[in-house]
Amino acid sequence: MKPVFCGNFEYDAREGDLERLFRKYGRVERVDMKAGFAFVYMEDERDAEDAIRALDRIEFGRKGRRLRVEWTKGERGGDRRSGGGGGSRRSSSLRPSKTLFVINFDADNTRTRDLERHFEPYGKIVNVRIRRNFAFVQYEEQEDATRALEATNNSKLMDKVISVEYAMKDDDARGNGHSPERRRDRF
């Protein structure tokens, strides 16, 4: 039973709210609530696929925030089928990258500089980007990112306990001008 990641809902959302939402697509085994995100365990993988397709990016809650609904990182794509259940359940079990994914910070008051200060003791930072209530911190070296992840996951940033994990893939600039050395003109 693979968990489905559900994020970007309001902090006052309840387990029951999410369970009712997902139950429209199949039997929900349990909802593991965190601050601002949750893992939803559904009995049938096909029902979970349907829920992901239907619920990703829908508006939810009083403020109509767009949900982020997807397979939990590192779970998708067949290379780690349901075997091996006993080992580490850390979310950072996915492949190391130079880019870290940061959630649970104070989205209203945290600035890029606050994240830089929090993460720069671990290595040279190439880029920090805040997107609504999550951020990406990109290091020059993957080893620095690993050191930072181990030191900062569940650490406090401005009175909030943040969660840090590897980003799915290195979030290099996609034509947004943040790292010109990666762009090559092809004629």
Side-chain angles (χ1 to χ4, degrees):
M1 176 174 53
K2 300 191 303 188
V4 173
F5 172 86
C6 180
N8 200 35
F9 50 79
E10 292 155 36
Y11 286 94
D12 60 356
R14 294 196 185 99
E15 265 180 41
D17 300 335
L18 291 176
E19 189 172 332
R20 272 190 297 284
L21 188 63
F22 278 80
R23 207 172 29 212
K24 296 173 189 167
Y25 303 96
R27 185 161 142 52
V28 174
E29 298 262 320
R30 75 177 206 266
V31 176
D32 185 6
M33 231 22 199
K34 310 287 183 198
F37 68 100
F39 297 108
V40 179
Y41 294 84
M42 298 188 73
E43 191 174 80
D44 188 304
E45 198 171 302
R46 291 169 304 203
D47 293 341
E49 284 279 0
D50 292 344
I52 290 169
R53 268 195 299 277
L55 300 175
D56 190 37
R57 314 240 348 106
I58 68 158
E59 292 185 3
F60 179 73
R62 290 186 325 278
K63 295 180 185 160
R65 292 169 74 164
R66 288 195 181 275
L67 286 183
R68 192 162 142 236
V69 181
E70 61 189 34
W71 284 117
T72 300
K73 303 207 179 319
E75 293 290 334
R76 185 184 335 179
D79 54 350
R80 293 179 32 180
R81 284 334 244 180
S82 48
S88 117
R89 280 201 29 184
R90 294 179 51 196
S91 60
S92 57
S93 62
L94 66 142
R95 195 173 323 117
S97 75
K98 294 178 187 175
T99 306
L100 300 177
F101 177 66
V102 184
I103 52 177
N104 288 351
F105 55 86
D106 179 347
D108 295 325
N109 298 309
T110 303
R111 300 286 166 254
T112 302
R113 186 69 197 120
D114 301 318
L115 286 166
E116 285 172 354
R117 259 191 227 110
H118 194 72
F119 286 89
E120 68 191 355
Y122 309 101
K124 181 161 174 23
I125 295 174
V126 177
N127 198 0
V128 174
R129 282 177 322 292
I130 298 176
R131 302 278 186 260
R132 285 192 221 97
N133 65 341
F134 60 95
F136 294 101
V137 176
Q138 183 180 10
Y139 283 90
E140 201 169 77
E141 300 295 327
Q142 188 266 304
E143 295 76 24
D144 295 341
T146 299
R147 240 192 335 276
L149 181 139
E150 289 168 357
T152 60
N153 189 28
N154 295 322
S155 66
K156 263 197 169 176
L157 175 66
M158 298 169 66
D159 294 327
K160 299 278 273 180
V161 176
I162 60 172
S163 290
V164 182
E165 62 184 56
Y166 293 116
M168 279 278 266
K169 47 185 168 285
D170 279 325
D171 195 47
D172 289 331
R174 286 184 291 269
N176 59 8
H178 284 298
S179 59
E181 71 277 1
R182 301 205 53 104
R183 295 172 64 190
R184 293 191 184 100
D185 295 317
R186 291 187 193 109
F187 293 103

